Amino acid sequence: MTSFTISPLTDRTGAEVVGLDFTEPIDPQTRTTLNRAFAEHHVLVMRDQHFTPEQFKQAAQVFGELQQHDKKEHHVPGHPDVYYVSNDEIVNGRRIIPGETFHTDHSNHPRPPKATMLFAVELPSAGGDTQYVNVHDAYDDLPVETKQRIDGLKVVHVYLSKYSPRPLGAISEESRRDVPAPGIHPLVRTHPENGRKALFLNPVRMESIVGMEDEEALALIDELMRHATQKKYEYRHKWRYGDWVIWDNRSVMHQANPDYDMSERRYLYRLMLRGEVPV
Ligand code: OGA
Ligand code: MN
């Protein structure tokens, strides 16, 4: 028997997994335990891992099937299906920090990825935390009138909304052509494993709410974003070497922090897992 621990990192969001080496085979019982913990805690932090890109890919599949990134060219050299985030891309004189402002990954897809994960390869000496907010709890706490107003609303998620608070990094023409048609998703979705409702929000990609004037839609989204991003819903991850972090895009929104010395490099391997049509 493998012996390992799963300990909560906050009251409601995030748990730490200590004592497993994911370069070794994971037995079926451990796999089930990990997947249950993931559905319950929404963010899992596996400590003390050492991965090559190929080992990271193998480990990822403990939680599901891999999904390609829209920017196919944005991969680790020599590893076409292992992606990365870094702080070294400049577009029009402006540094791109991927994930800066709260969002949900690839929500423009008809079947958005259920999960995303990062493995720390290079970290700044201070800062560069990732913040997660629990959108199940945020939904639960809404006033009854707001729940009645938003249950049943559908939102159009495009690759890059004209209302996005930030630009995205460069994408090749070929990759851009392969981006799927916009996803039209419920504003309130139900998690297929834990059964809980959640707000499904992403200001970077949400362009309209079906049947609503844009002005009203933007005001509603703004109100929901302010509510959902309160500190009480947050787990803030301070990266350490060895961290492998996986988050459930059906349960949390997340954001990167550009609060560190940009002459230092921040570089993490990144993978996503296939999801389902949100309902
Ligand atoms: C992402 C993302 C946040 C970070 O990889 O999808 O938003 O802190 N990353 O790098
Ligand atoms: Mn992201």
Side-chain angles (χ1 to χ4, degrees):
M1 272 303 293
T2 3
S3 136
F4 64 98
T5 57
I6 303 179
S7 320
L9 288 160
T10 70
D11 270 2
R12 314 291 304 252
T13 313
E16 178 183 57
V17 179
V18 175
L20 282 176
D21 175 357
F22 285 85
T23 63
E24 300 289 330
I26 299 297
D27 63 74
Q29 195 188 331
T30 303
R31 184 187 283 250
T32 303
T33 304
L34 289 166
N35 277 279
R36 287 210 183 118
F38 187 44
E40 181 186 350
H41 299 286
H42 322 304
V43 180
L44 291 184
V45 179
M46 272 65 71
R47 302 284 191 195
D48 310 314
Q49 303 305 309
H50 301 273
F51 290 138
T52 63
E54 288 309 307
Q55 288 171 327
F56 185 42
K57 230 171 78 181
Q58 284 305 316
Q61 292 169 66
V62 165
F63 293 98
E65 287 170 62
L66 299 178
Q67 175 181 329
Q68 277 210 321
H69 194 283
D70 275 345
K71 291 177 204 159
K72 293 185 195 64
E73 62 283 2
H74 206 80
H75 62 76
V76 176
H79 301 276
D81 44 13
V82 181
Y83 303 87
Y84 64 90
V85 288
S86 69
N87 61 331
D88 43 25
E89 187 182 352
I90 312 272
V91 174
N92 298 329
R94 180 168 168 188
R95 189 181 298 275
I96 300 287
I97 301 296
E100 178 187 359
T101 76
F102 275 105
H103 65 283
T104 314
D105 292 329
H106 278 47
S107 66
N108 57 306
H109 279 231
R111 292 168 178 267
K114 71 168 186 176
T116 309
M117 61 192 85
L118 295 173
F119 174 67
V121 179
E122 272 184 77
L123 295 171
S125 46
D129 301 349
T130 308
Q131 288 163 274
Y132 298 94
V133 287
N134 186 320
V135 286
H136 293 305
D137 289 346
Y139 174 80
D140 289 348
D141 288 350
L142 287 172
V144 155
E145 311 79 67
T146 311
K147 286 183 180 163
Q148 282 167 354
R149 180 169 175 225
I150 66 174
D151 274 334
L153 290 179
K154 298 261 187 204
V155 186
V156 181
H157 294 245
V158 300
Y159 178 73
L160 178 61
S161 169
K162 62 182 179 222
Y163 300 117
S164 174
R166 60 179 159 93
L168 295 176
I171 183 167
S172 71
E173 266 180 46
E174 194 191 339
S175 291
R176 188 69 184 86
R177 273 199 300 274
D178 290 345
V179 169
I184 301 174
H185 300 310
L187 181 52
V188 178
R189 69 185 294 190
T190 304
H191 194 290
E193 284 154 62
N194 65 30
R196 297 182 67 191
K197 287 188 173 184
L199 288 170
F200 189 38
L201 293 166
N202 181 5
V204 176
R205 306 206 198 254
M206 290 188 300
E207 192 151 74
S208 61
I209 297 181
V210 175
M212 200 182 273
E213 292 296 332
D214 282 6
E215 200 181 326
E216 189 188 346
L218 288 169
L220 174 60
I221 290 164
D222 187 58
E223 178 192 328
L224 295 173
M225 285 299 294
R226 278 169 203 272
H227 168 72
T229 57
Q230 294 176 80
K231 286 284 173 279
K232 63 181 171 184
Y233 301 125
E234 180 177 297
Y235 164 62
R236 184 175 183 121
H237 185 68
K238 291 189 185 302
W239 287 92
R240 301 182 198 161
Y241 282 106
D243 283 353
W244 165 27
V245 177
I246 179 171
W247 62 88
D248 192 326
N249 287 309
R250 303 163 303 186
S251 302
V252 293
M253 281 193 288
H254 61 283
Q255 76 173 0
N257 278 278
D259 60 347
Y260 53 95
D261 178 352
M262 288 298 154
S263 68
E264 294 188 292
R265 191 152 186 253
R266 184 175 184 276
Y267 182 88
L268 302 94
Y269 296 154
R270 181 182 192 281
L271 292 170
M272 296 189 298
L273 300 180
R274 279 193 204 168
E276 60 288 313
V277 174
V279 287

